[in-house]
């Protein structure tokens, strides 16, 4: 790549890191950039996954305060994300890409609908349970099972095709375990990081020579900075502004996927 292209990849990494910290779907910036500059699609997928781990670390660290008090559910979700990602990586090595390409747009549309409808759904849930705003629903056996199943399913998806997994997580968790949107975003960052680490390790072990390590390093440096910026400014967004950002980025991602 030329010096201009190398700079463009690093800038794309900054944007991806920031978007991943606030919403998810940063892959939809870096992956097309690599392909546009001549990196083969498979190599671009692997290089991108390795590079964006750094942004996941900085974004998760930036939201560490919002993670406080979430261990009762995260202790169930973290293993679900881990094993889901392992299965997703296995599927990547054994199934044609067209299998998931067919359902990705449907999943993304469903997640966006859930994100938009979450305030109304949460009002209905609180009315049914008698809880007040700020209180959390008890983690019943049924709710834990649904939460683990949803987290595992998104982990499988993320291990196979990382783009937009954050939107899927927020969409599902906002219905199963309603909470403050910023707190759900913090949990999403941590769970997505687990999935991305598994995917990056799998690619490194299985296809080390197919990774463009220059591109991966540039994306890592850029996304590390982007994750810091995204966490700093994303945490200041109101729930309505954050929800609007998620929907806008999700629609752009849907358009890119369909195109």
């Amino acid at each position: 790549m030329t010096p201009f292209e190398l700079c463009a990849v690093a800038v794309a990494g900054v944007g991806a890191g920031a978007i991943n910290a606030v919403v998810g779907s940063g892959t939809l910036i870096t992956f097309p950039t690599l392909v546009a500059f001549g990196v083969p699609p498979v190599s671009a997928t692997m290089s991108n996954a390795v590079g964006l781990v750094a942004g996941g670390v900085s974004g998760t660290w930036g939201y560490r305060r919002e993670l406080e008090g979430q261990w009762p559910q995260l202790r169930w979700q973290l293993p679900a994300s881990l094993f889901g990602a392992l299965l997703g990586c296995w599927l990547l090595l054994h199934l044609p890409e067209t299998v998931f390409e067919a359902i990705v747009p449907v999943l993304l549309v469903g997640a966006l609908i859930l994100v938009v409808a979450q305030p109304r759904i949460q009002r209905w849930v609180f009315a049914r349970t008698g809880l007040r705003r700020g209180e959390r629903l008890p983690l019943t056996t049924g709710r834990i099972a649904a939460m683990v199943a949803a987290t595992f399913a998104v982990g499988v998806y993320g291990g196979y095709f990382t783009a937009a997994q954050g939107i899927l997580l927020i969409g599902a968790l906002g219905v199963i375990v309603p909470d403050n949107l910023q707190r759900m975003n913090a949990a999403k960052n941590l769970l997505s990081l687990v999935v991305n680490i598994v995917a990056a390790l799998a690619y490194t072990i299985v296809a080390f020579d197919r990774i463009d390590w220059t591109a991966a390093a540039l994306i890592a440096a850029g996304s590390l900075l982007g994750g810091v910026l995204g966490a700093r400014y994303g945490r200041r967004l109101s729930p309505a502004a954050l929800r609007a950002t998620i929907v806008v980025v999700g629609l752009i991602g849907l358009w890119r996927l369909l195109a």
Side-chain angles (χ1 to χ4, degrees), residues 44-65:
T45 298
M46 297 178 179
S47 307
N48 179 66
V50 172
L52 286 179
V53 169
V57 172
S58 59
T60 300
W61 176 254
Y63 271 90
R64 62 192 180 280
R65 282 188 290 176

Side-chain angles (χ1 to χ4, degrees), residues 124-240:
W124 178 81
V125 170
F126 282 119
R128 293 265 302 185
T129 58
L131 294 176
R132 295 189 300 271
R133 285 290 175 184
E135 294 181 326
R136 295 179 201 148
L137 292 172
L139 287 178
T140 62
T141 302
R143 188 164 287 114
I144 289 174
M147 179 181 66
V148 169
T151 304
F152 177 80
V154 175
V156 174
Y157 167 86
Y160 189 100
F161 186 78
T162 57
Q165 63 170 316
I167 295 176
L168 293 176
L169 265 174
I170 289 179
L173 298 181
V175 175
I176 300 170
V177 282
D179 201 346
N180 175 276
L181 194 56
Q182 294 286 8
R183 285 171 53 81
M184 288 194 293
N185 197 45
K188 175 269 293 179
N189 285 345
L190 177 59
L191 296 171
S192 296
L193 174 60
V194 171
V195 173
N196 289 343
I197 289 174
V198 171
L201 287 175
Y203 295 151
T204 301
I205 293 171
V206 174
F208 183 92
D209 59 330
R210 301 183 69 180
I211 296 173
D212 186 324
W213 288 101
T214 300
L218 290 170
I219 292 174
S223 67
L224 186 66
L225 173 60
V228 172
L229 296 174
R232 173 176 297 178
Y233 295 105
R235 292 173 67 248
R236 301 176 184 176
L237 293 175
S238 67

Side-chain angles (χ1 to χ4, degrees), residues 10-82:
V11 170
V14 174
I19 289 176
N20 277 343
V22 179
V23 183
S25 300
T27 292
L28 298 174
I29 294 179
T30 44
F31 176 77
T33 301
L34 292 179
V35 173
F37 292 151
V39 180
V42 174
S43 178
T45 298
M46 297 178 179
S47 307
N48 179 66
V50 172
L52 286 179
V53 169
V57 172
S58 59
T60 300
W61 176 254
Y63 271 90
R64 62 192 180 280
R65 282 188 290 176
E66 284 76 11
L67 286 172
E68 293 178 1
Q70 296 205 56
W71 177 245
Q73 69 184 54
L74 286 174
R75 67 190 180 97
W76 296 98
Q77 291 178 282
L78 288 170
S81 287
L82 174 63

